[in-house]
Amino acid sequence: MKTSKLYVFILLSLLSVSTSCRSIRQGKVLSKCEFRLESLQDISLANVRIDKVKSLTDLNLLDAGRITLAFARNSSLPMDLTANIEVKNPNKKTAGLNELRWILYIDDVKMAEGESKQRFEVPAQGTNILPLKVNLDLKKAMRGKSRSALLKFAFNMAGFGSSASRVKIRAKPSFKVLGGTIRYPGYIKITKEYTSE
């Protein structure tokens, strides 16, 4: 009886060491990956796509009316976009993550935060794109700003504004090993500047 208990203890110890080693290896692979904000796309304001137009005059009367009505109301001003994160893996092994906590800043203003829980892998010595769906209330995020400031901000993001906007994402990836979650220490900072040129 004592012998069988000893075997169980040794087996559990070996599993624990094996799990720790795999966690360390996966953490090292992930820590060597490079993260870059590849693009912003599918940008909409008040449910009107604005990333496909070149100027305000390209908006039809219906779309312009929707945006104007949203500004006139005291309620929310929804803005949706997809932030595409390019992950480059220089390692000889596949890098993977199970979750990504993120915080989005635009021009140093915290706009939104969320968590992606989809499994994501980057092949050895390859790249892959991780899309982050961002939904925010522009009025709430930029409380106290004028109507013209909000419009300027939204159109800068769409690429036809008159000035540059700096986008920053702080990301904390994590991966699972045998039911446990290993989180990346600290946050990865990803920044990019968008201009109308």
Side-chain angles (χ1 to χ4, degrees):
M1 191 71 177
K2 287 182 180 178
T3 305
S4 63
K5 285 183 179 178
L6 180 61
Y7 284 148
V8 170
F9 175 76
I10 291 172
L11 181 61
L12 288 174
S13 298
L14 288 173
L15 280 172
S16 176
V17 170
S18 174
T19 300
S20 297
C21 289
R22 274 190 304 225
S23 299
I24 292 168
R25 281 196 301 270
Q26 184 64 42
K28 285 182 179 178
V29 169
L30 196 59
S31 69
K32 291 180 182 177
C33 288
E34 299 169 17
F35 293 75
R36 183 179 75 90
L37 182 54
E38 194 269 337
S39 64
L40 297 178
Q41 67 178 39
D42 302 332
I43 303 172
S44 68
L45 183 65
N47 298 316
V48 175
R49 283 288 297 271
I50 61 171
D51 59 335
K52 296 296 183 185
V53 297
K54 300 298 182 186
S55 70
L56 282 172
T57 55
D58 288 343
L59 291 172
N60 61 44
L61 287 176
L62 183 60
D63 289 342
R66 285 178 182 164
I67 293 174
T68 302
L69 184 61
F71 272 109
R73 291 175 177 163
N74 292 323
S75 58
S76 65
L77 179 60
M79 185 174 187
D80 305 304
L81 58 94
T82 300
N84 293 312
I85 308 296
E86 181 187 77
V87 185
K88 185 177 181 181
N89 180 11
N91 302 285
K92 293 182 179 179
K93 292 185 177 180
T94 296
L97 59 93
N98 292 81
E99 296 177 8
L100 184 76
R101 291 182 180 175
W102 55 267
I103 307 171
L104 173 72
Y105 297 85
I106 302 177
D107 294 335
D108 296 321
V109 177
K110 183 179 176 180
M111 304 300 289
E113 60 184 306
E115 187 172 13
S116 172
K117 293 190 175 182
Q118 65 185 47
R119 173 70 180 169
F120 177 77
E121 291 187 349
V122 187
Q125 298 179 329
T127 60
N128 201 358
I129 299 292
L130 174 61
L132 299 180
K133 301 291 184 182
V134 180
N135 312 105
L136 59 98
D137 179 351
L138 197 56
K139 279 187 178 177
K140 183 178 179 181
M142 300 184 70
R143 186 175 284 118
K145 298 289 184 182
S146 68
R147 180 176 171 178
S148 60
L150 293 177
L151 264 179
K152 180 181 176 183
F153 173 85
F155 293 138
N156 281 343
M157 296 310 305
F160 63 91
S162 58
S163 59
S165 284
R166 187 174 64 260
V167 178
K168 178 172 68 176
I169 296 176
R170 297 181 70 215
K172 183 189 280 287
S174 62
F175 55 93
K176 294 190 179 187
V177 179
L178 287 183
T181 300
I182 307 297
R183 298 200 179 277
Y184 192 87
Y187 279 87
I188 298 166
K189 293 179 183 176
I190 309 162
T191 59
K192 187 171 183 177
E193 192 170 89
Y194 286 86
T195 65
S196 57
E197 298 177 358

